[in-house]
Protein backbone atom coordinates (compact mmCIF):
# COMPACT_ATOMS: atom_id res chain seq x y z
CA UNK A 1 0.00 0.00 0.00
CA UNK A 2 1.29 3.46 -0.86
CA UNK A 3 -0.42 5.28 2.01
CA UNK A 4 -3.32 6.57 -0.04
CA UNK A 5 -6.84 5.81 1.15
CA UNK A 6 -8.55 2.88 -0.54
CA UNK A 7 -11.93 4.57 -0.29
CA UNK A 8 -12.22 8.04 -1.80
CA UNK A 9 -14.97 10.52 -1.02
CA UNK A 10 -16.00 13.45 -3.13
CA UNK A 11 -15.35 16.92 -1.75
CA UNK A 12 -18.96 17.46 -0.61
CA UNK A 13 -19.21 14.06 1.06
CA UNK A 14 -15.87 14.60 2.80
CA UNK A 15 -16.91 18.02 4.07
CA UNK A 16 -20.27 16.70 5.29
CA UNK A 17 -18.52 13.87 7.13
CA UNK A 18 -15.96 16.26 8.60
CA UNK A 19 -18.67 18.67 9.77
CA UNK A 20 -20.61 15.79 11.36
CA UNK A 21 -17.45 14.62 13.12
CA UNK A 22 -16.52 18.07 14.42
CA UNK A 23 -20.07 18.81 15.62
CA UNK A 24 -20.44 15.49 17.41
CA UNK A 25 -16.96 15.65 18.98
CA UNK A 26 -17.34 19.27 20.12
CA UNK A 27 -20.84 18.52 21.40
CA UNK A 28 -19.49 15.53 23.31
CA UNK A 29 -16.74 17.63 24.90
CA UNK A 30 -19.26 20.36 25.76
CA UNK A 31 -21.53 17.80 27.39
CA UNK A 32 -18.60 16.42 29.43
CA UNK A 33 -17.73 19.92 30.66
CA UNK A 34 -21.38 20.57 31.53
CA UNK A 35 -21.64 17.31 33.47
CA UNK A 36 -18.43 18.14 35.37
CA UNK A 37 -19.73 21.63 36.17
CA UNK A 38 -23.02 20.22 37.46
CA UNK A 39 -21.05 17.68 39.52
CA UNK A 40 -18.98 20.44 41.14
CA UNK A 41 -22.06 22.55 41.84
CA UNK A 42 -23.94 19.51 43.17
CA UNK A 43 -21.08 18.51 45.43
CA UNK A 44 -21.19 21.89 47.09
CA UNK A 45 -24.99 21.92 47.37
CA UNK A 46 -25.20 18.29 48.57
CA UNK A 47 -28.39 17.98 46.49
CA UNK A 48 -29.56 14.78 44.78
CA UNK A 49 -31.09 16.89 41.99
CA UNK A 50 -27.60 17.41 40.61
CA UNK A 51 -27.10 13.64 40.41
CA UNK A 52 -30.41 13.43 38.57
CA UNK A 53 -29.26 16.09 36.10
CA UNK A 54 -26.00 14.22 35.51
CA UNK A 55 -27.83 10.93 35.07
CA UNK A 56 -30.37 12.42 32.69
CA UNK A 57 -27.72 14.10 30.51
CA UNK A 58 -25.63 10.95 30.19
CA UNK A 59 -28.07 9.51 27.68
CA UNK A 60 -26.67 12.11 25.27
CA UNK A 61 -23.05 11.14 25.87
CA UNK A 62 -23.27 7.67 24.37
CA UNK A 63 -24.89 8.70 21.04
CA UNK A 64 -22.55 11.71 20.70
CA UNK A 65 -19.54 9.50 21.43
CA UNK A 66 -20.68 6.83 19.00
CA UNK A 67 -21.35 9.44 16.31
CA UNK A 68 -17.88 10.92 16.85
CA UNK A 69 -16.41 7.42 16.69
CA UNK A 70 -18.21 6.36 13.51
CA UNK A 71 -17.50 9.62 11.69
CA UNK A 72 -13.89 9.55 12.92
CA UNK A 73 -13.35 6.03 11.62
CA UNK A 74 -14.99 6.98 8.31
CA UNK A 75 -12.68 9.99 8.01
CA UNK A 76 -9.67 7.85 8.90
CA UNK A 77 -10.27 5.26 6.22
CA UNK A 78 -11.09 7.85 3.55
CA UNK A 79 -8.10 10.14 4.11
CA UNK A 80 -4.33 9.83 4.14
CA UNK A 81 -4.35 9.59 7.94
CA UNK A 82 -5.62 6.00 7.95
CA UNK A 83 -7.00 4.08 10.90
CA UNK A 84 -3.67 2.85 12.32
CA UNK A 85 -1.01 4.83 10.44
CA UNK A 86 -0.54 7.66 12.95
CA UNK A 87 -0.33 7.51 16.72
CA UNK A 88 -2.62 10.54 17.14
CA UNK A 89 -5.45 8.71 15.34
CA UNK A 90 -4.90 5.58 17.45
CA UNK A 91 -4.87 7.72 20.62
CA UNK A 92 -8.20 9.29 19.64
CA UNK A 93 -9.69 5.83 19.04
CA UNK A 94 -8.52 4.64 22.47
CA UNK A 95 -9.85 7.81 24.14
CA UNK A 96 -13.23 7.37 22.46
CA UNK A 97 -13.62 3.76 23.55
CA UNK A 98 -12.45 4.58 27.09
CA UNK A 99 -14.90 7.47 27.54
CA UNK A 100 -17.86 5.51 26.19
CA UNK A 101 -16.95 2.47 28.32
CA UNK A 102 -16.54 4.46 31.54
CA UNK A 103 -19.81 6.29 30.90
CA UNK A 104 -21.62 2.96 30.55
CA UNK A 105 -19.76 0.95 33.20
CA UNK A 106 -18.92 3.53 35.89
CA UNK A 107 -20.59 6.93 35.61
CA UNK A 108 -24.11 5.91 34.65
CA UNK A 109 -24.46 3.15 37.30
CA UNK A 110 -22.98 5.42 40.00
CA UNK A 111 -25.38 8.24 39.18
CA UNK A 112 -28.32 5.81 39.10
CA UNK A 113 -27.34 4.51 42.56
CA UNK A 114 -27.13 8.06 43.92
CA UNK A 115 -30.57 8.95 42.59
CA UNK A 116 -32.13 5.67 43.78
CA UNK A 117 -30.61 6.13 47.25
CA UNK A 118 -31.73 9.76 47.43
CA UNK A 119 -28.21 10.92 48.20
CA UNK A 120 -25.80 12.76 45.95
CA UNK A 121 -23.05 10.31 46.82
CA UNK A 122 -19.59 10.71 45.43
CA UNK A 123 -19.07 11.96 41.92
CA UNK A 124 -17.22 9.37 39.82
CA UNK A 125 -13.73 10.51 38.84
CA UNK A 126 -14.25 9.67 35.16
CA UNK A 127 -16.58 12.68 34.90
CA UNK A 128 -13.58 14.95 35.29
CA UNK A 129 -11.18 12.68 33.42
CA UNK A 130 -13.50 12.76 30.40
CA UNK A 131 -13.04 16.53 30.12
CA UNK A 132 -9.27 16.12 30.11
CA UNK A 133 -9.03 13.26 27.63
CA UNK A 134 -11.62 14.74 25.25
CA UNK A 135 -9.65 18.01 25.32
CA UNK A 136 -6.52 16.00 24.49
CA UNK A 137 -8.36 14.35 21.58
CA UNK A 138 -9.29 17.81 20.30
CA UNK A 139 -5.69 19.02 20.54
CA UNK A 140 -4.50 15.91 18.69
CA UNK A 141 -7.01 16.60 15.91
CA UNK A 142 -5.68 20.11 15.46
CA UNK A 143 -1.94 19.46 15.91
CA UNK A 144 -1.83 16.07 14.12
CA UNK A 145 1.59 14.93 15.37
CA UNK A 146 3.59 13.28 12.60
CA UNK A 147 4.62 10.17 14.58
CA UNK A 148 3.67 7.06 12.64
CA UNK A 149 2.85 3.61 13.94
CA UNK A 150 4.78 0.51 12.86
CA UNK A 151 1.72 -0.36 10.74
CA UNK A 152 2.13 2.71 8.55
CA UNK A 153 3.31 1.98 5.01
CA UNK A 154 6.80 3.19 4.15
CA UNK A 155 6.97 6.70 2.75
Amino acid sequence: SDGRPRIRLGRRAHRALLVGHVLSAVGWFGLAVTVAFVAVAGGRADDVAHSEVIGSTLWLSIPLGLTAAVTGVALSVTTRWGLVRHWWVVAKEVITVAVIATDVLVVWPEMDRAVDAGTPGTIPGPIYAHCVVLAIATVLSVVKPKARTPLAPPR
Side-chain angles (χ1 to χ4, degrees):
S1 173
D2 60 4
R4 284 184 276 173
R6 293 176 193 223
I7 302 168
R8 301 283 305 184
L9 291 179
R11 178 173 278 155
R12 283 187 177 155
H14 173 77
R15 283 187 181 164
L17 187 59
L18 182 60
V19 167
H21 181 66
V22 169
L23 287 174
S24 61
V26 169
W28 197 23
F29 175 70
L31 181 66
V33 170
T34 301
V35 167
F37 176 78
V38 170
V40 169
R44 291 189 179 147
D46 201 34
D47 184 0
V48 75
H50 288 86
S51 296
E52 289 176 349
V53 169
I54 292 170
S56 65
T57 57
L58 282 174
W59 71 270
L60 284 171
S61 184
I62 306 304
L64 281 171
L66 290 173
T67 301
V70 168
T71 56
V73 167
L75 283 167
S76 294
V77 299
T78 60
T79 64
R80 66 186 173 104
W81 301 111
L83 197 56
V84 292
R85 290 183 190 148
H86 293 84
W87 283 114
W88 70 270
V89 176
V90 173
K92 285 185 62 177
E93 293 163 5
V94 170
I95 287 168
T96 300
V97 169
V99 171
I100 292 171
T102 55
D103 267 349
V104 171
L105 300 173
V106 177
V107 178
W108 210 330
E110 188 66 30
M111 293 296 94
D112 279 347
R113 278 192 290 278
V115 170
D116 290 346
T119 60
T122 59
I123 303 300
I127 285 178
Y128 307 109
H130 290 174
C131 295
V132 173
V133 296
L134 291 173
I136 290 169
T138 302
V139 170
L140 290 172
S141 294
V142 172
V143 175
K144 293 180 177 56
K146 301 291 186 233
R148 295 164 60 92
T149 72
L151 300 173
R155 292 183 188 208

